[in-house]
């Protein structure tokens, strides 16, 4: 039991050290097993004993990053909150690793190892996609999401909004201190900025959008 606990502790230290070095290195591909061993304060042999090699270590880092984000998202999903509140929390949620987003390190790891893309896709299909499907279904059931909208369209919209938050995090910092501004931004995010419903399907004959 003590040996298993020590092994898990070593594994966690190695994953944390590798994540830190990959994230903060200009070229993550040049981070060596020896570099990681020094940062984790373990021997290179310990890394090989826990992971078998560099590829498995990289995959372990990917899985840990995504697992952390999933735990946060599932916690939000389980809360007794209405759909808009859950959406706002999920879209603005950050995995605080040196102040940078998980997406940044995942992009680096994809460039390091072609198999990382397949691993991320597998996790997406098994974990992330079902979570979003349930969230969108709940939104429709609660009357917040237009039932005529396809799941694909809603998912793409939410992803675009979240990517916008992530790419412009500094832009939203001042707004956090202005409750009225945050309420306005939240309303625009959820309902758009039109005063009334508008049909934006182009009129093919006239070349103009139909409204009303």
């Amino acid at each position: 039991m003590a040996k298993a606990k020590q092994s898990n502790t070593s594994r966690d230290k190695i994953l944390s050290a590798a994540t830190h070095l990959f994230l903060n290195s200009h070229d993550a591909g040049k981070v060596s097993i020896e570099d990681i061993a020094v940062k984790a304060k373990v021997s290179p042999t310990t890394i090989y004993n826990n992971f078998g090699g560099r590829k498995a270590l990289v995959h372990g880092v990917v899985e840990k990053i995504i697992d952390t984000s999933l735990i946060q998202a599932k916690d939000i999903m389980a809360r007794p909150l209405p759909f808009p509140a859950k959406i706002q929390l999920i879209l603005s949620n950050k995995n605080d690793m040196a102040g940078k987003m998980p997406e940044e390190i995942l992009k680096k790891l994809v460039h390091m190892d072609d198999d990382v893309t397949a691993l991320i896709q597998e996790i997406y299909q098994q974990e992330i996609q079902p979570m979003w499907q349930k969230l969108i279904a709940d939104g429709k059931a609660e009357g917040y999401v237009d039932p005529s909208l396809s799941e694909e369209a809603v998912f793409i919209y939410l992803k675009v909004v979240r990517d916008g938050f992530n790419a412009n995090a500094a832009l939203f910092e001042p707004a956090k201190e202005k409750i009225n501004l945050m309420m306005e931004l939240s309303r625009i995010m959820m309902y758009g900025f039109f005063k009334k419903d508008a049909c934006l399907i182009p009129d093919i004959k006239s070349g103009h959008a139909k409204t009303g």
Side-chain angles (χ1 to χ4, degrees), residues 35-108:
D35 293 332
I36 297 169
V38 171
K39 180 69 177 176
K41 297 181 180 179
V42 300
S43 68
T45 301
T46 300
I47 294 179
Y48 285 111
N49 287 341
N50 276 273
F51 295 95
R54 182 184 180 84
K55 180 180 286 288
L57 174 56
V58 170
H59 286 198
V61 169
V62 172
E63 291 171 350
K64 185 175 179 63
I65 292 170
I66 296 178
D67 283 348
T68 300
S69 295
L70 281 173
I71 289 171
Q72 294 171 341
K74 288 178 179 179
D75 173 68
I76 293 171
M77 290 277 288
R79 297 180 192 179
L81 298 171
F83 176 78
K86 290 183 179 180
I87 285 293
Q88 290 177 28
L89 285 172
I90 289 175
L91 293 179
S92 62
N93 191 36
K94 294 181 180 179
N95 186 338
D96 187 15
M97 297 189 318
K100 301 178 182 179
M101 299 303 298
E103 287 84 350
E104 182 174 343
I105 186 172
L106 290 178
K107 287 178 182 178
K108 288 186 175 184

